[in-house]
Amino acid sequence: MMSAITAARAGAAVTLIERNEKVGRKLYITGKGRCNLTNRCPVETALQNYPRGGRFLHSALSRFSPEDAQAFFEGLGVPLKVERGNRVFPVSDRAADIIDALFYELRRLGVKTVTGRVTALLQGEDGASGVMLEDGRTLRGDAVIVATGGVSYPATGSTGDGYALAQSVGHTLVPARASLVPLVTAGEDCQQMQGLSLRNVTLKVKNQKKKTVYEGFGELLFTHFGLSGPLVLSASACLQGFDKDKYSAIIDLKPALSEKQLDERILRDFGQNPNRDVQNVLGGLLPRLMIPVMLRRTDIPPETKVHDVTKGQRRRLVEELKAFRLELTGTRPVAEAIVTAGGVKLGEVNPATMASKKCPGLYFAGEVLDIDGYTGGFNLQAAWATGAAAGRAAAEATKENDNDGKTDQRSH
């Protein structure tokens, strides 16, 4: 939609081909239905939030920055607000308002929308010349923009169609895998704490060489399969794949306290309740669901009287509170991921125009490229910026063709 609007504003005649009955279906689920459309930060800060593709995005984000994205949607009549972490949302908290704004702008600009699924790229002597649809229809144009997404949330239409189209003209694909996805853990500790959400904790993820590959502060959630929540989703983007490495998650449950301060806090709590069962005293330090797990890990029987807890047991309790370790065994399926890592190899695409280096007249935008960002609006910002770059360049190319007298001015 961003590509189509940008190209149409630049004077191109545009046809948007959408396989769903309505455009923008995936936007409905972004930001938990509220659409976290960008992050209000400088371009340089934004670029640091892409584990893959940050350098490639420099040109596109410089020309269509987070500030530009906000101005674009406000210009379409959508009031915006900024929340924690500089996340930008519509004031209404309705993703539908973003979709409607894009839809009405497409209609105002005269963009033609065709419902159908593209199965092949058409090529002429000068490169991309159109597309073929699943029902046999062909649509011709001077430029083709592939903006089909990855393979996450396939029910929204993201089933990897763009990968096959790119491969058909010689592009290399970086294997698709899950990013911003919950993580699966070994053992049963997480299952026993299912539904428990922790705030203001620090999460570290270390590989088998004990190198820290991710560290963050915030919120996470225990589930029936392992870990989820904002911290965990961001951590998943930094993992190279469980076929290449092994990972451990280490949670600091009390990051504001040193081990010495934490031990003093426990001694104070214990001193005030010497004759109570330890399981009943730990409620001031831990959530209820976590107490049985913590006592098992520290070899303290739940009915132990506080005055009978040994110095060694108390030491293990401090260690567990500061470094609650879980072995990670994998990720949830890519279909459950917020975004897809992998896609069209970036070295085969012009970063300023999103033009294919393999096929003249072909452009790429969004998640079909090997780009993925952390949570916080960065993935949609990449979509807007690459979409605008592709739309702008495709429109300019169609004008050049028109001026050369080669073809009518058309763009898909």
Side-chain angles (χ1 to χ4, degrees), residues 46 93-94 101 222 263 270 336 338:
D93 285 331
R94 296 178 68 249
F222 295 106
D263 191 39
F270 281 9
E336 297 179 23
I338 293 176

Side-chain angles (χ1 to χ4, degrees), residues 24-61:
R25 187 172 176 183
K26 197 168 188 179
L27 281 173
Y28 277 113
I29 61 174
T30 59
K32 296 180 181 178
R34 298 170 59 219
C35 194
N36 177 195
L37 59 94
T38 189
N39 191 285
R40 189 172 186 174
C41 66
V43 169
E44 291 305 321
T45 301
L47 292 171
Q48 295 169 13
N49 282 274
Y50 297 94
R52 281 157 292 273
R55 184 179 299 178
F56 176 86
L57 284 170
H58 191 278
S59 177
L61 260 67

Side-chain angles (χ1 to χ4, degrees), residues 40 136 149 161 178 186 203 314 316 342 386 393 396:
R40 189 172 186 174
D161 290 7
L203 172 67
R314 198 178 76 244
R316 286 199 294 277
T386 56
E396 290 173 358

Side-chain angles (χ1 to χ4, degrees), residues 123-151:
Q123 294 186 77
E125 293 181 2
D126 298 322
S129 62
V131 296
M132 178 179 287
L133 274 60
E134 195 171 37
D135 60 8
R137 286 179 292 168
T138 60
L139 296 170
R140 298 283 178 176
D142 297 322
V144 177
I145 301 172
V146 175
T148 52
V151 289

Side-chain angles (χ1 to χ4, degrees), residues 96-325:
D97 288 353
I98 297 296
I99 300 166
D100 289 346
L102 291 166
F103 173 75
Y104 288 123
E105 181 66 0
L106 289 168
R107 194 164 70 175
R108 185 187 73 82
L109 292 166
V111 172
K112 180 183 178 183
T113 301
V114 172
T115 302
R117 184 176 185 177
V118 173
T119 55
L121 290 173
L122 304 178
Q123 294 186 77
E125 293 181 2
D126 298 322
S129 62
V131 296
M132 178 179 287
L133 274 60
E134 195 171 37
D135 60 8
R137 286 179 292 168
T138 60
L139 296 170
R140 298 283 178 176
D142 297 322
V144 177
I145 301 172
V146 175
T148 52
V151 289
S152 56
Y153 292 116
T156 65
S158 298
T159 54
D161 290 7
Y163 299 155
L165 298 177
Q167 271 190 315
S168 72
V169 294
H171 275 282
T172 307
L173 296 182
V174 176
R177 59 184 179 83
S179 185
L180 300 188
V181 65
L183 299 173
V184 181
T185 59
E188 298 180 359
D189 285 352
C190 290
Q191 290 91 320
Q192 291 177 12
M193 297 183 288
Q194 179 180 344
L196 173 61
S197 178
L198 298 179
R199 293 186 177 184
N200 303 320
V201 297
T202 297
L203 172 67
K204 285 185 182 179
V205 177
K206 295 189 175 185
N207 63 13
Q208 58 192 354
K209 294 182 179 179
K210 298 184 178 180
K211 178 184 177 183
T212 299
V213 297
Y214 173 83
E215 182 171 0
F217 175 82
E219 183 178 346
L220 59 78
L221 173 71
F222 295 106
T223 72
H224 66 284
F225 54 77
L227 295 169
S228 189
L231 270 181
V232 175
L233 298 180
S234 290
S236 72
C238 298
L239 309 186
Q240 295 302 310
F242 287 80
D243 55 334
K244 299 177 181 178
D245 214 336
K246 294 181 180 179
Y247 300 96
S248 300
I250 300 149
I251 305 166
D252 185 345
L253 298 162
K254 302 293 178 183
L257 300 176
S258 67
E259 288 193 6
K260 183 172 183 287
Q261 291 171 323
L262 185 54
D263 191 39
E264 291 171 351
R265 161 75 188 277
I266 294 171
L267 278 171
R268 186 168 66 250
D269 288 356
F270 281 9
Q272 293 170 352
N273 303 277
N275 298 313
R276 296 183 65 194
D277 291 353
V278 67
Q279 64 181 346
N280 297 324
V281 175
L282 287 179
L285 199 64
L286 287 168
R288 178 182 56 81
L289 285 175
M290 202 169 202
I291 292 173
V293 174
M294 188 64 74
L295 290 174
R296 186 174 62 252
R297 283 183 169 226
T298 53
D299 295 322
I300 305 174
E303 293 81 15
T304 303
K305 299 301 180 184
V306 165
H307 60 73
D308 289 330
V309 175
T310 67
K311 185 177 180 180
Q313 288 173 325
R314 198 178 76 244
R315 178 65 198 167
R316 286 199 294 277
L317 180 59
V318 170
E319 290 172 349
E320 284 289 336
L321 286 165
K322 293 296 290 181
F324 189 88
R325 189 183 191 93

Side-chain angles (χ1 to χ4, degrees), residues 12-91:
V14 183
T15 300
L16 188 154
I17 305 165
E18 171 58 61
R19 60 178 290 185
N20 295 315
E21 289 301 317
K22 294 182 179 180
V23 294
R25 187 172 176 183
K26 197 168 188 179
L27 281 173
Y28 277 113
I29 61 174
T30 59
K32 296 180 181 178
R34 298 170 59 219
C35 194
N36 177 195
L37 59 94
T38 189
N39 191 285
R40 189 172 186 174
C41 66
V43 169
E44 291 305 321
T45 301
L47 292 171
Q48 295 169 13
N49 282 274
Y50 297 94
R52 281 157 292 273
R55 184 179 299 178
F56 176 86
L57 284 170
H58 191 278
S59 177
L61 260 67
S62 295
R63 295 190 71 179
F64 198 90
S65 66
E67 186 177 350
D68 294 328
Q70 293 172 78
F72 174 86
F73 285 102
E74 286 172 340
L76 295 183
V78 183
L80 304 177
K81 61 180 177 179
V82 182
E83 295 188 0
R84 180 176 53 86
N86 293 321
R87 291 166 164 83
V88 180
F89 294 89
V91 169

